[in-house]
Amino acid sequence: MTASLRPYALYAAWLVSVVATFGSLYFSEVLGYVPCEFCWYQRIAMYPLVILLGIAAFYNDTKIVGYVLPLSIIGGLVSIYHYLMQKVPGFAPIEPCADGVPCQVQYVNALGFITIPFLAFAAFIIITALLVFLRIKR
């Protein structure tokens, strides 16, 4: 990324978080996909980013990076773990019958590898990359 794009990195990170949030709400509220436990953890990491990055972008406050970067990294780690639970046989722990949706359920499986946790991971990676780019000194 060039230095001329630096002023827009915070806005781009906010926009990615907004799209990811609306995407997760679309899957659950419109399509009726019930979120599993790890989907909720990813939402817990993503939803505050919309508010925090939105306020920071409005005020052009790059000091917020230190506060939201850990949230983005943790969300990315949770989503990659969730993705591995879905795609790697034997990776997910064996769980007894319980209420709710198992985390191995793949509501979406486009091109054989794009699942909802993959989409969340992509959003967290983009946000993290943009925030790291802002953090790097000119």
Side-chain angles (χ1 to χ4, degrees):
M1 226 184 280
T2 64
S4 63
L5 297 177
R6 182 178 292 276
Y8 305 107
L10 202 53
Y11 291 101
W14 172 73
L15 186 61
V16 170
S17 70
V18 168
V19 170
T21 297
F22 281 124
S24 74
L25 290 173
Y26 174 76
F27 284 136
S28 63
E29 300 303 317
V30 176
L31 298 179
Y33 299 160
V34 178
C36 70
E37 181 180 356
F38 278 94
C39 289
W40 279 113
Y41 295 151
Q42 292 164 71
R43 288 176 176 208
I44 289 168
M46 183 62 72
Y47 288 5
L49 291 177
V50 174
I51 297 167
L52 295 173
L53 289 172
I55 293 169
F58 182 77
Y59 290 110
N60 198 23
D61 181 14
T62 57
K63 289 181 269 179
I64 193 75
V65 171
Y67 302 108
V68 296
L69 189 59
L71 196 58
S72 178
I73 292 170
I74 291 168
L77 292 173
V78 170
S79 60
I80 194 67
Y81 179 74
H82 188 192
Y83 183 73
L84 291 172
M85 286 175 61
Q86 289 183 334
K87 291 297 185 180
V88 177
F91 192 81
I94 298 172
E95 298 176 358
C97 295
D99 292 338
V101 177
C103 290
Q104 296 86 356
V105 171
Q106 296 179 33
Y107 289 119
V108 174
N109 191 10
L111 303 175
F113 72 96
I114 298 174
T115 63
I116 295 174
F118 180 85
L119 295 171
F121 178 67
F124 282 121
I125 285 295
I126 293 168
I127 292 168
T128 301
L130 289 166
L131 294 176
V132 167
F133 175 70
L134 276 174
R135 189 112 170 143
I136 296 172
K137 301 294 180 200
R138 298 178 189 177

